């Protein structure tokens, strides 16, 4: 047993994880290079080692949850590449308009055929609202619950925005057009939706056909001045990054009518940082960042009042577990039909993404917030809904 293995085994013990142990969350090592790769490159080495088949876990979500609760990443000595990565995240602007389109190609453009099989019937790619659907640790095992949770999320957003027929709504980061379609069909509003992903825009236009919905392929910073009664950003602020939060708020302020409401539905961090996880940044969400409440509130100063804030991050666990179930169920078909896109390394990368994220929410070190903001031009009390 070399030095790297001894040190990493010791760290895993802190998290209650045994190497080649009998618990379902224990790590089964297939190639001993795993130890050196993880100690040398931290989260990046840990993730790449999994993608290469160096290790496995029967209960990957719990493995990651235990690692995160024990903050093992902070206990691994930072090497030069990691130090440079952190410095780049802090000082270099990774979210220019040009760079913002990169995540559209790398992640959201990975293939509509994947998302059609993985997501719910309305193709929501954000956390569902699982209230009333049972124990969140097991509710995901009923396949019908994902559709219910996502529909409940969309309706919750519409009710929090107090939508009324004829209103004009801006859906910034509209994804596959699921909110735009739901709001236009059920609340009789007009919607302008933007996305930075060509594949999403094309499918969203098809899915919203016949409704008063205008889907555009552009960055919010490219838009010409326009006024809206309501604005919603669902799963979009994660791509704004810390250098652009204030500018983002300024632009949303300029788009919103004086008596309007603005909702942010976003994954967030309980602590303020300026960087993403290196593995996630490289393979899944380039040029992205999870904001803290402090960072969002600071950016909103002198522009918006926070009228309502709800945290239901725990609901992301059953959402992700549902996506993982659907992904596994569809994998053989995806690999057979699209072998040029989806190989075994992609499968392992996507599994670590879904189950690793589930572990992060299970550990409560990742949050999901719905934040309602106003322009404070009225004394009317905002009526919150749950």
């Amino acid at each position: 047993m070399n030095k790297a293995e001894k040190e990493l085994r010791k760290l895993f013990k802190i998290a209650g994880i045994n190497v080649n142990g009998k618990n379902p969350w224990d790590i089964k090592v297939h190639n001993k290079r795993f130890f050196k790769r993880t100690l040398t490159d931290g989260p990046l080495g840990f993730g790449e080692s999994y993608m290469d088949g160096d290790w496995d876990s029967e209960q990957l979500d719990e493995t990651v949850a235990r690692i995160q609760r024990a903050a093992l990443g902070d206990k691994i000595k930072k090497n030069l590449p990691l130090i440079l990565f952190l410095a780049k995240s802090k000082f270099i602007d990774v979210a220019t308009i040009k760079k913002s389109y990169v995540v559209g190609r790398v992640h959201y453009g990975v293939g509509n055929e994947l998302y059609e099989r993985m997501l719910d019937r309305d193709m929501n790619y954000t956390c569902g609202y699982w209230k009333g659907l049972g124990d969140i640790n097991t509710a995901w095992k009923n396949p019908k619950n994902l559709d219910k949770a996502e529909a409940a999320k969309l309706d919750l957003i519409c009710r929090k925005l107090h939508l009324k027929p004829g209103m004009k709504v801006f859906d910034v980061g509209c994804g596959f057009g699921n909110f735009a379609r739901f709001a236009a069909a059920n609340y009789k509003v007009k919607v302008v939706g933007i996305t930075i992903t060509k594949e999403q825009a094309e499918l969203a236009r098809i899915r919203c056909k016949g409704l008063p919905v205008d889907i555009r392929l552009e960055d919010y910073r490219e838009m010409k001045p326009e006024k809206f009664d309501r604005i919603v950003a669902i799963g979009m602020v994660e791509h704004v990054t810390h250098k652009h939060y204030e500018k983002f708020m300024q632009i949303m302020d300029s788009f919103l009518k004086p008596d309007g409401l603005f909702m942010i539905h976003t994954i967030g961090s309980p602590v303020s940082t300026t960087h993403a996880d290196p593995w996630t940044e490289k393979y899944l969400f380039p040029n992205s960042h999870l904001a803290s409440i402090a960072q969002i509130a600071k950016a909103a100063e002198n522009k918006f009042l926070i009228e309502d804030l709800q945290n239901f991050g725990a609901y992301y666990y059953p959402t992700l577990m549902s996506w993982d179930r659907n992904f596994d169920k569809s994998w053989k078909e995806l690999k057979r039909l699209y072998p040029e896109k989806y190989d075994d390394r992609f499968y392992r990368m996507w599994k670590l993404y879904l189950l690793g994220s589930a572990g992060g929410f299970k550990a409560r070190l990742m949050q999901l917030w719905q934040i309602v903001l106003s322009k404070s031009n009225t004394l009317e009390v905002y009526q919150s809904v749950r």
Side-chain angles (χ1 to χ4, degrees):
M1 189 182 299
N2 60 33
K3 183 179 179 181
E5 182 175 350
K6 287 180 181 178
E7 187 172 346
L8 204 55
R9 281 177 176 269
K10 185 178 179 181
L11 286 174
F12 282 138
K13 282 278 189 180
I14 297 172
I17 297 171
N18 294 309
V19 174
N20 298 324
K22 296 181 179 179
N23 296 311
W25 57 81
D26 287 335
I27 286 176
K28 309 297 189 296
V29 176
H30 307 305
N31 190 319
K32 288 202 170 187
R33 65 182 176 177
F34 159 70
F35 299 107
K36 185 175 181 180
R37 291 179 78 177
T38 299
L39 275 183
T40 301
D41 295 325
L44 180 60
F46 182 76
E48 289 183 334
S49 194
Y50 182 82
M51 290 167 64
D52 291 336
D54 292 350
W55 64 276
D56 273 303
S57 166
E58 294 176 31
Q59 195 176 348
L60 190 54
D61 60 298
E62 180 62 21
T63 303
V64 173
R66 286 170 175 261
I67 288 171
Q68 294 207 5
R69 287 193 198 105
L72 295 192
D74 296 338
K75 296 176 174 62
I76 294 177
K77 186 177 179 181
K78 293 179 175 61
N79 60 11
L80 182 58
L82 182 56
I83 291 171
L84 291 175
F85 170 80
L86 296 175
K88 171 191 170 186
S89 301
K90 186 172 183 178
F91 298 111
I92 297 177
D93 187 357
V94 298
T96 61
I97 293 177
K98 184 178 180 180
K99 291 178 180 177
S100 72
Y101 283 86
V102 174
V103 71
R105 295 192 299 271
V106 171
H107 190 89
Y108 300 104
V110 74
N112 287 346
E113 62 276 355
L114 168 62
Y115 293 114
E116 285 171 338
R117 290 165 173 79
M118 186 182 85
L119 305 177
D120 66 297
R121 64 188 175 196
D122 287 327
M123 293 186 71
N124 290 275
Y125 196 21
T126 54
C127 182
Y129 191 55
W130 293 74
K131 184 178 179 180
L133 293 177
D135 184 346
I136 60 174
N137 292 303
T138 57
W140 61 271
K141 294 182 179 181
N142 182 344
K144 295 180 180 179
N145 281 345
L146 179 62
D147 290 338
K148 294 177 182 178
E150 294 293 3
K153 182 266 301 291
L154 292 177
D155 193 59
L156 180 66
I157 292 172
C158 291
R159 289 186 290 120
K160 284 185 175 182
L161 285 171
H162 296 175
L163 294 186
K164 297 177 182 178
M167 282 185 169
K168 187 177 179 182
V169 182
F170 179 30
D171 183 3
V172 51
C174 66
F176 298 105
N178 45 291
F179 170 80
R181 186 171 73 162
F182 183 92
N186 294 283
Y187 285 83
K188 311 305 178 186
V189 296
K190 300 174 183 178
V191 185
V192 172
I194 64 169
T195 174
I196 55 172
T197 306
K198 180 182 177 182
E199 291 83 357
Q200 285 189 334
E202 290 173 348
L203 186 56
R205 289 176 186 134
I206 293 170
R207 299 177 74 242
C208 295
K209 188 176 181 180
L211 292 168
V213 175
D214 178 14
I215 302 295
R216 306 172 186 173
L217 181 64
E218 63 183 335
D219 187 281
Y220 67 95
R221 291 163 290 185
E222 299 173 304
M223 286 182 63
K224 294 179 180 179
E226 199 167 349
K227 289 293 183 182
F228 298 92
D229 299 291
R230 301 289 188 265
I231 299 176
V232 63
I234 306 172
M236 179 270 172
V237 172
E238 296 91 329
H239 307 299
V240 174
T241 78
H242 68 101
K243 285 186 174 292
H244 291 270
Y245 292 139
E246 187 169 354
K247 181 67 173 179
F248 173 73
M249 290 293 188
Q250 287 174 352
I251 293 175
M252 295 305 110
D253 179 40
S254 71
F255 286 162
L256 190 64
K257 291 181 180 179
D259 60 347
L261 292 174
F262 171 31
M263 172 185 274
I264 293 172
H265 172 113
T266 186
I267 301 172
S269 169
V271 296
S272 297
T273 68
T274 59
H275 61 85
D277 169 80
W279 182 78
T280 303
E281 162 76 20
K282 181 175 180 178
Y283 290 99
L284 293 160
F285 296 103
N287 308 328
S288 300
H289 173 253
L290 299 184
S292 68
I293 287 293
Q295 288 169 317
I296 292 174
K298 179 65 177 175
E301 281 186 11
N302 300 317
K303 304 172 195 69
F304 295 106
L305 283 181
I306 294 178
E307 298 283 4
D308 186 65
L309 193 157
Q310 182 179 7
N311 180 353
F312 54 84
Y315 286 154
Y316 232 132
Y317 178 77
T319 302
L320 284 154
M321 295 302 288
S322 297
W323 293 346
D324 177 69
R325 178 198 60 231
N326 293 345
F327 174 63
D328 258 352
K329 182 180 178 181
S330 304
W331 175 247
K332 288 183 179 179
E333 181 186 29
L334 283 168
K335 187 178 179 182
R336 175 174 58 82
L337 294 176
Y338 309 98
E340 72 286 354
K341 283 187 177 182
Y342 309 119
D343 58 15
D344 291 338
R345 198 165 191 263
F346 178 92
Y347 174 79
R348 294 183 68 84
M349 177 188 76
W350 211 253
K351 290 290 287 185
L352 183 58
Y353 155 53
L354 293 174
L355 293 176
S357 297
F361 284 101
K362 196 174 189 179
R364 300 309 305 277
L365 293 178
M366 296 170 72
Q367 309 295 317
L368 187 288
W369 300 308
Q370 283 191 345
I371 308 168
V372 180
L373 306 105
S374 75
K375 297 184 76 167
S376 68
N377 289 317
T378 176
L379 285 176
E380 182 180 348
V381 177
Y382 174 78
Q383 299 298 324
S384 179
V385 297
R386 288 285 186 271

